[in-house]
Amino acid sequence: MNRQLKIDNLLLGILIIFALILRVGISLKFPNIFWADEIFQTQEPAHRLVFGNGIVTWEFRDGIRSWVLPGILAGIIRLTAWLGEGSYGYLLGINIFLSLLSLSNILVAYLWGKKIGGIITAFICAGICTIWFELVYFSPKAFTEVIATHLFLPGVYLGIFRNHLQLRKRLFLAGCFLGIALALRIHFLPLIGFVVIYICRKDWRQKWLSMIAGMIVPILIFGTVDAFTWSYPFQSFWLNIWVNVVEGKSKLYGVSPWYEYFIFLLKSWSWFSIPILILAIIGLRRSPILGWLVLVIILSHSLLAHKEYRFIYPALPMLMILAGLGTGELVLSLSRRWNSIPKLLITILLCLLVWTSTSVALLSRFNIYNPLTFSTFGTNLEDTHLYGATNNLLALQSLSKENSICGLGLWGIHWALSGGYTYLHQNVPIYPVEEAADFAELKAGFNYIIGNRSIPFPYQNYTLQKCWQGTCIYKRPGTCSPVIERDINSVLKKSGN
């Protein structure tokens, strides 16, 4: 028994290490932007905390974002900046930190599968969560909903399943995880409320008090941080709801119909949606709570006008666990007909191979902003989210090691797709140059330009330095003179962005 346990732990350890390498490796090989919030709501304010410079968006001018997550990332930046020159070191550190947090998906998948179907189901569930392309892609991204999910799932598992911990301690710990998830992403309130009711039900003394006490602790910490960093406790909670829900400012960034998330899933999974859904339904019989949670997260966000695929990220690992439970049940039903361990191992490996092949195929076409198609493979990897704004990020990151820069112009590149000071890491002004006429007014402010179009003819004193698939760096000789109220932060403040 002990020997079997050691082997299981060894295999799980290998799986987790492989998952970490896969996530960090993909994020380093394909730096990209899925949505600007992953930089400007988390990493950019963290950079400003550590180094004093950063692009300030309206959310941090109006005080609707908590400083807790940027503060944690600031600590990671400070601790890991030595890993490389310029922005390379701390970006690697952030990727590793966020990827480590994401491993909770795999651990929960393993433990959940083991509770429901035994060790075979456990490794199938964990294996699917290890290689599934969306989990690999989103794991190193500094989105609040992604990080919150990686804490939410352990909270759900601890709340539902018994372990060696005494009941009240276990539920208190579950409450702490759920409380952090809620504080990071207030939109999880219906989801977490459903979980707490499901776990506690009518048992006030034994369960409710322990879970609520656990949730209160992190929420109070977030509220206290707001009191010191903004005007009053919990300001970021209330203002976020008021500005985005009551005033409807989030609608400025797009309005979608109620069924948009189902379209997103079809776009992402193509015709593979059918077998995945069938396997998830099979798994649903063994663990219906996961199905209810998926439904709650999708429906609660469907009520909001502004929709982004990342908002329902919590549904993705839960759907993969359900599909893993269904896959495990099919494998176990086949194994009962065999007395051959080699046949069973071959079947498990074939299952994981099919899942891996499916994941790779869907990754090759992963772009939820493209029209809905039901192809199996993509024809152009550069048209996927793997290459979203990659050229801009590589260009800015290369300048993070350039000592001669005294100002930077963004020519034809939107600031939200630039990477900001998180990638530039130079204490110099950034100027958005939108029209050719802007060169005459702003040319004194910068000696480097990053652009995706040719430099206007009157300004041919700029020399081409390097290009990344159409995004190029240009340099002119001489120094810079600041152009008052035309830098990016002044422009954003005037426009209200």
Side-chain angles (χ1 to χ4, degrees), residues 83-84 195 199 236 248 288 324 345 360 376 388-389 395 401 421 435 456 495 497:
L83 291 174
V195 168
I199 293 171
S236 64
L345 292 175
V360 172
T376 301
K401 299 189 293 184
Y421 288 95
E435 305 291 339
S495 65
N497 290 319

Side-chain angles (χ1 to χ4, degrees), residues 190-407:
L191 179 69
I192 291 174
F194 182 87
V195 168
V196 173
I197 293 172
Y198 177 86
I199 293 171
C200 299
R201 302 181 191 182
K202 296 181 179 180
D203 193 343
W204 284 92
R205 182 170 297 180
Q206 286 289 327
K207 294 182 178 180
W208 277 94
L209 294 178
S210 298
M211 285 208 76
I212 297 301
M215 293 179 66
I216 286 175
V217 172
I219 291 174
L220 284 178
I221 292 173
F222 274 73
T224 303
V225 170
D226 273 8
F228 283 98
T229 54
W230 298 122
S231 300
Y232 53 85
F234 301 105
Q235 175 179 316
S236 64
F237 289 70
W238 305 121
L239 276 186
N240 194 315
I241 296 172
W242 180 264
V243 170
N244 286 314
V245 178
V246 180
E247 295 183 356
K249 187 161 185 175
S250 62
K251 295 179 182 178
L252 298 175
Y253 300 96
V255 175
S256 304
W258 66 268
Y259 53 81
E260 186 74 1
Y261 287 118
F262 298 99
I263 301 297
F264 281 157
L265 287 170
L266 282 174
K267 285 183 176 181
S268 186
W269 294 355
S270 185
W271 63 269
F272 289 104
S273 302
I274 297 173
I276 292 172
L277 183 60
I278 291 172
L279 290 170
I281 290 172
I282 295 173
L284 191 63
R285 298 184 308 162
R286 304 293 304 277
S287 190
I289 178 59
L290 287 176
W292 284 112
L293 293 178
V294 168
L295 200 60
V296 169
I297 194 68
I298 293 177
L299 292 182
S300 64
H301 280 77
S302 295
L303 297 175
L304 303 176
H306 178 59
K307 298 174 179 65
E308 297 172 32
Y309 190 46
R310 62 189 173 99
F311 291 167
I312 62 164
Y313 174 80
L316 300 180
M318 290 189 287
L319 280 168
M320 290 303 107
I321 293 173
L322 280 172
L325 294 175
T327 304
E329 187 165 332
L330 291 180
V331 170
L332 288 173
S333 66
L334 288 173
S335 69
R336 294 187 188 102
R337 304 176 187 177
W338 301 329
N339 293 320
S340 172
I341 293 179
K343 287 184 179 180
L344 178 60
L345 292 175
I346 290 172
T347 304
I348 294 171
L349 291 174
L350 284 175
C351 283
L352 293 178
L353 180 61
V354 169
W355 272 102
T356 302
S357 301
T358 303
S359 179
V360 172
L362 294 179
L363 179 62
S364 73
R365 60 183 301 284
F366 179 47
N367 190 335
I368 55 141
Y369 301 124
N370 282 341
L372 176 61
T373 62
F374 291 96
S375 59
T376 301
F377 293 96
T379 57
N380 181 12
L381 199 61
E382 293 183 5
D383 189 39
T384 67
H385 289 300
L386 285 175
Y387 280 90
T390 295
N391 303 331
N392 303 342
L393 300 182
L394 291 175
L396 257 76
Q397 194 169 34
S398 72
L399 288 180
S400 71
K401 299 189 293 184
E402 179 56 60
N403 295 325
S404 62
I405 184 172
C406 56

